[in-house]
Amino acid sequence: MSKIDVHHHTVPDFYKKLLASGNTPVGHTIPPWSPEASVDLMDRLHVDKAILSLSAPGPIIAGNVNDVHHLARRWNNYAAELRVEWPTKFGFFAAIPELTDPGGAIAEIKYAFESLKTDGITLFSSYHGKYLGAKEFEPVWAELDKRHAVVHIHPTTSRGASSATPFLPLPLLDYPHESARTASDLVLSGRKRQFPNCKVILSHAGGTLPYVAERVAALSNTVFAGLLDNNSPRGDQIIEDLKTFYFDLALSGSANVLDTLLKWAPHERILYGSDFPFAGGVEESFDTALESYGMGDNLRAMCYRDNALCLFPRLRS
């Protein structure tokens, strides 16, 4: 059964040089990548189309504000060129500058949608210690909401984080927690409910969110109710809002993850993802696990491609 991959990265040479400069907290070897390598992987995994994106840490790695803007624009133009060169294979989520610079972020959003016809936008889980529900990010969310944008949230390291031991690089455990943290922040701040037109995808099956969602809702309604404000959801609304996210299956094809996700999340909000090339070659083992997992053909078709086609109707052609 064919698939649409909504979590598929690029590592062009100009980004690879920045990753190699030592300014990245990624914590693992920079993978080799080329468009041809992506297509080869897609063929092996029966992926018809992939939505390309820039992985963590994203444009912020460039350093100063001007260089961050330049990197976002350079990658967006590059991704648009790949889509022209491989029109039946690739789409892309545009990169934008830091959300702490809302004017720059909004300008790049407008350029990406109006000039490049992007399929959506990549955001990272936090920017300089501020998670995506932060009040100062409202103008960016308003712009995305106005455009009914698809937003793919990729985890990144939080400010000041460091590996607890040499055996625990941050992407290993922290990334799943960061996804749950920023999703919970979006919901509890009221931002998810405030901007309902944004279709927001969480990476890696939502990280730890499906596992901790009931805890988040229960304690936010009781022990920590005093921390909520007038915009915050209450009662059953918290779980309702947490279930409005979409969830990609990158690095999440194992039975224990699928058991939890399929029991908790609406099935029409589950999407296929590979995390190529940052999965380090295990994309195929997770895909094999997913292929062998017991689910009906209709549900498999939803997760593999039909749900994505609802988000990206242009891919139907």
Side-chain angles (χ1 to χ4, degrees), residues 220-237:
S220 295
N221 277 313
T222 53
V223 177
F224 303 118
L227 300 178
L228 302 180
D229 62 26
N230 292 334
N231 296 315
S232 301
R234 298 293 198 283
D236 292 341
Q237 292 177 333

Side-chain angles (χ1 to χ4, degrees), residues 42-74:
M42 292 164 65
D43 289 344
R44 296 200 306 274
L45 300 187
H46 306 290
V47 172
D48 281 347
K49 296 179 176 68
I51 310 298
L52 304 176
S53 59
L54 196 61
S55 188
I60 194 173
I61 194 175
N64 66 58
V65 171
N66 289 336
D67 289 343
V68 168
H69 283 232
H70 175 74
L71 178 57
R73 178 63 57 91
R74 185 177 184 183

Side-chain angles (χ1 to χ4, degrees), residues 105-122:
I106 290 171
E108 196 61 27
I109 289 169
K110 290 179 178 178
Y111 174 76
F113 277 104
E114 295 172 11
S115 298
L116 301 181
K117 310 302 180 187
T118 185
D119 293 294
I121 298 292
T122 294

